[in-house]
Amino acid sequence: VILTVTLNPALDLTYGVDTLVRHGTHRVRTVAARPGGKGLNVARVLHQLGEPVGATGLIGGGTGAEILALLADRPHAFAPVAGTSRRTVTVVDGDATGFWEPGPTVTPGEWASFRAHFAALLDGADVVVLSGSLPPGVPADGYAALVTAARAAGVPVILDADGEPLRHGVAAGPDVVKPNASELAAWWRTPPGGGDPYAAARRMRSAGAGAVIATRGAAGLLAVTPDGAWRAAPPQPVPGNPTGAGDACVAALARGLRHGTPWPQLVADAVALSAAAVTEPVAGSVHLPTYAHLRDTVVAEAAGPAAVPTEEC
Ligand SMILES: Nc1ncnc2c1ncn2[C@@H]1O[C@H](COP(=O)(O)OP(=O)(O)OP(=O)(O)O)[C@@H](O)[C@H]1O
Ligand SMILES: [Mg+2]
């Protein structure tokens, strides 16, 4: 199975209102509640593709119970924490305004128990996906510890993180890292849009990542891997909601690693699947006809050397 890790899952609430007014009181017209968190989005896309998937992470309180109830029909093995899992509230009035709770504070004991729980789950895992933010209390090298454990167990691991957790995680040597443009720029300490993303991706490999899949919104992605570098893009930008397109990309990468798909095919597949996530209004879901169409259309092009040229070192 593909094991997805969501350390800070959320009850994702969407409120539909007529017009959002700052300092106003609103009649909420529609309420939708879904399980949220990037690892759960990845799991949902994999499930839609018929791939065997299991979800783990940390969960707690009444909100945690609601999230688990919404996951009831899916295999999951979350570890309990004493605190209460977060809610993420999006107010939609045509445009979207978000309110993200921080999540529960995880104690050192809870984090130690989770690491033992995770190590046990590695036994049955073909691929591990680590994605999303860390709740308060989980150390910045939390993902690095999980990467190290997965590597020790011989399970390929994909990391989709930002900031310090990304920095530490890369150094632990994950097989695949998936930054978007701003995460890669921040990692390289260049302004977004500045710098050469190939050079940044090659540098990330030399810092420990096995392969770097740098996504670039509607411009597609570039991949710098041990077997070479490729780029691929959708034939044209797809209209819709790009939130969660990166999660669909990670789902494609996880499936490809599990099946040993060669990189050029995998890169093209990831572009097709993530574009099909844009067509869908909510994160964690792909539009299968769009995917089927784009899978036959998108091709990866070779894009230069994978190694760091000596002058960059
Ligand atoms: N408008 C679009 N049309 C077609 N494909 C898109 C579009 N936006 C994104 N994609 C595809 O989705 C991939 C991931 O997008 P992006 O770089 O925005 O990820 P992200 O910021 O990590 O997303 P998130 O974290 O919200 O899931 C891109 O590499 C591209 O292939
Ligand atoms: Mg992302």
Side-chain angles (χ1 to χ4, degrees), residues 38 160 178 180 183 215 246-247:
K38 300 186 98 42
D160 179 2
K178 196 226 77 68
N180 66 18
E183 289 156 355
T215 60
D247 303 331

Side-chain angles (χ1 to χ4, degrees), residues 35-46:
K38 300 186 98 42
L40 288 174
N41 291 342
V42 173
R44 220 161 26 233
V45 171
L46 287 167

Side-chain angles (χ1 to χ4, degrees), residues 4 38 54 62 75 77 88 101 113-114 124 169 175 183 186 194 220 223 227-228 241 271 289-290 303:
T4 67
K38 300 186 98 42
T88 50
E101 295 182 9
S113 312
F114 177 75
D175 297 82
E183 289 156 355
D227 304 333
N241 174 15
V271 166
T290 301

Side-chain angles (χ1 to χ4, degrees), residues 131-234:
S131 44
S133 65
L134 301 180
V138 172
D141 65 357
Y143 278 143
L146 302 186
V147 168
T148 301
R151 289 191 62 185
V155 181
V157 54
I158 303 176
L159 177 65
D160 179 2
D162 196 5
E164 284 306 297
L166 173 62
R167 204 169 290 282
H168 288 285
V170 165
D175 297 82
V176 178
V177 181
K178 196 226 77 68
N180 66 18
S182 64
E183 289 156 355
L184 185 64
W187 181 84
W188 210 27
R189 305 191 204 278
T190 51
D196 170 9
Y198 284 100
R202 288 196 299 266
R203 180 56 61 86
M204 194 176 262
R205 281 199 69 222
S206 67
V212 177
I213 311 302
T215 60
R216 314 178 70 200
L221 59 80
L222 59 93
V224 181
T225 81
D227 304 333
W230 288 272
R231 76 172 144 249

